[in-house]
Amino acid sequence: MKLKLDFPQQIATNKINYKDNLMLIGSCFTENIGHFLQRHDFNTKINPFGILFHPIAIFGALNRIVDKKLFSEEELVFNHELWHSLEHHSSFSHVEKNMCLEKINEEIISSHEFLKNTKYLLITLGTSIIYELEENHKIVSNCHKIDAKKFNKRFLNIDEILDAFDLTYKALQTLNPNLKIIFTVSPVRHWRDGLVENNRSKSRLIYSVENIINKYINTEYFPAYELIIDDLRDYRFFEADFCHPNQMAINYIWNYFTKMYFDDITLEYMEDKNQLLKMTAHKVQFEDTKSSKILVENIKQKQTLIDKKYFS
């Protein structure tokens, strides 16, 4: 008995190697994939501005990284006893203005150098609903719990998204002409905006990405949204909030991603690395026992084998 639609396994033309540099930027779904890459020792830079949700925030962050445009004190705001950047996630906020600014600018400098030598840029778009300041119509990335009366909430239109990406694409091409860009649309539901509004928001992102990959070379789409919403499409694959994919769903996405993008040697590397991770996951209760010493020695031997086989 067939119980669901079959989602065919896609195979990318351009393959990722375990030695490639990868930058990931966007919504919290970016961090899910990024965590797997880091755990397997890929060279990654994840969300240099913190978690960002809408295209203008993401493209704006990339523009500043490419231009190495540092932030000034005047661009920070003070609210609830913390200094914030309206272009950053709250993970960059700090009680001291100079510490907030230092962390922000250090990340821009390091990200600029990393992006120069990055082969793949993964962009995850989360929503097309944005907030802009009432006083000057500046679109912000994060409101940082500032009085809602100071912001207008609205949808981005398709042309705004495409025009913003056009500028970013040209900037990225100047810095790194060989860069390949993989777009995803986050399957996380923004239910606080309303489910109807969430669907309208996601549809604008999907349509925008379709236009982008049809127009620009070295851009493509990874179907994370469809894999969760249409392939799995069951609440047992979500957390208790019914909005965020759970670990089982994230593992499913990761496995699909590896089969789609990793070259043969990287898949082989992944098998060896997974064996090592399983070995290191074993808890050693008594270090002086014979079995514990054997396990430690086996881990060392496995690590040596991986280092010699893949990195020597």
Side-chain angles (χ1 to χ4, degrees):
M1 180 184 294
K2 188 173 181 180
L3 298 176
K4 72 183 199 61
L5 295 173
D6 294 324
F7 197 100
Q9 176 67 56
Q10 298 179 22
I11 303 297
T13 302
N14 298 309
K15 295 288 190 172
I16 294 174
N17 182 268
Y18 64 95
K19 292 183 179 180
D20 291 334
N21 286 357
L22 299 100
M23 180 178 282
L24 299 90
I25 188 168
S27 80
C28 51
F29 191 73
T30 290
E31 308 225 334
N32 297 141
I33 297 297
H35 168 74
F36 278 106
L37 290 168
Q38 285 186 333
R39 190 162 179 261
H40 290 84
D41 295 329
F42 282 75
N43 301 317
T44 60
K45 172 76 77 170
I46 302 172
N47 276 338
F49 276 49
I51 295 170
L52 302 174
F53 293 101
H54 63 76
I56 302 303
I58 295 167
F59 300 155
L62 289 169
N63 290 342
R64 291 198 78 137
I65 290 169
V66 170
D67 296 336
K68 202 158 63 172
K69 184 180 178 183
L70 304 184
F71 279 73
S72 64
E73 291 186 1
E74 291 73 24
E75 292 179 273
L76 302 182
V77 297
F78 189 73
N79 189 58
H80 291 305
E81 302 182 276
L82 294 174
W83 288 96
H84 312 275
S85 162
L86 295 176
E87 296 184 35
H88 286 76
H89 184 261
S90 58
S91 57
F92 282 84
S93 301
H94 203 279
V95 293
E96 296 183 23
K97 181 192 286 188
N98 65 319
M99 295 299 292
C100 176
L101 197 62
E102 183 179 326
K103 185 177 181 180
I104 286 170
N105 287 334
E106 284 180 353
E107 191 62 35
I108 288 176
I109 293 169
S110 65
S111 297
H112 176 86
E113 296 304 317
F114 188 88
L115 190 55
K116 280 182 182 179
N117 302 301
T118 294
K119 184 172 181 180
Y120 282 93
L121 171 65
L122 282 75
I123 299 176
T124 301
L125 305 178
T127 182
S128 56
I129 295 175
I130 56 96
Y131 291 83
E132 55 186 6
L133 284 166
E134 178 81 34
E135 61 180 5
N136 57 12
H137 303 293
K138 174 183 171 62
I139 298 174
V140 302
S141 304
N142 196 311
C143 297
H144 297 295
K145 299 181 181 179
I146 297 171
D147 188 353
K149 295 179 182 178
K150 294 186 178 182
F151 298 93
N152 291 320
K153 176 183 176 181
R154 67 174 178 86
F155 281 99
L156 289 170
N157 62 55
I158 303 296
D159 287 339
E160 283 180 290
I161 297 172
L162 297 180
D163 289 346
F165 178 73
D166 186 68
L167 294 174
T168 301
Y169 181 80
K170 290 174 181 176
L172 290 169
Q173 285 289 294
T174 300
L175 181 69
N176 185 348
N178 297 317
L179 182 68
K180 295 173 176 58
I181 304 172
I182 301 172
F183 277 95
T184 68
V185 172
S186 170
V188 177
R189 295 183 177 94
H190 290 236
W191 72 270
R192 286 188 177 89
D193 295 317
L195 290 179
V196 172
E197 288 76 9
N198 172 74
N199 287 337
R200 290 173 178 170
S201 169
K202 299 291 187 184
S203 66
R204 293 175 189 228
L205 299 178
I206 293 168
Y207 183 72
S208 295
V209 172
E210 180 191 8
N211 277 267
I212 287 169
I213 64 175
N214 286 335
K215 180 177 180 180
Y216 300 94
I217 61 169
N218 289 333
T219 61
E220 53 192 278
Y221 180 67
F222 174 69
Y225 180 84
E226 290 77 9
L227 285 167
I228 297 292
I229 302 301
D230 294 315
D231 187 2
L232 299 183
R233 62 176 301 148
D234 191 299
Y235 279 119
R236 67 193 168 104
F237 296 109
F238 286 83
E239 297 288 0
D241 63 2
F242 304 123
C243 296
H244 290 79
N246 62 19
Q247 194 59 53
M248 185 162 48
I250 293 168
N251 291 344
Y252 185 79
I253 296 294
W254 170 249
N255 288 331
Y256 192 98
F257 183 86
T258 61
K259 292 176 183 177
M260 181 171 175
Y261 279 106
F262 288 174
D263 61 21
D264 290 340
I265 189 64
T266 302
L267 290 173
E268 187 178 331
Y269 164 74
M270 290 289 294
E271 288 184 15
D272 284 335
K273 187 66 178 179
N274 283 329
Q275 290 175 17
L276 178 62
L277 290 171
K278 288 178 181 178
M279 294 167 67
T280 56
H282 284 285
K283 293 182 179 179
V284 176
Q285 187 174 5
F286 301 104
E287 294 182 359
D288 291 333
T289 63
K290 183 178 179 180
S291 59
S292 294
K293 290 179 180 179
I294 291 173
L295 175 62
V296 170
E297 183 60 30
N298 287 341
I299 290 172
K300 289 180 180 178
Q301 290 179 6
K302 187 66 176 179
Q303 184 63 68
T304 300
L305 184 151
I306 290 174
D307 292 341
K308 184 177 181 181
K309 184 176 180 180
Y310 299 103
F311 297 100
S312 61

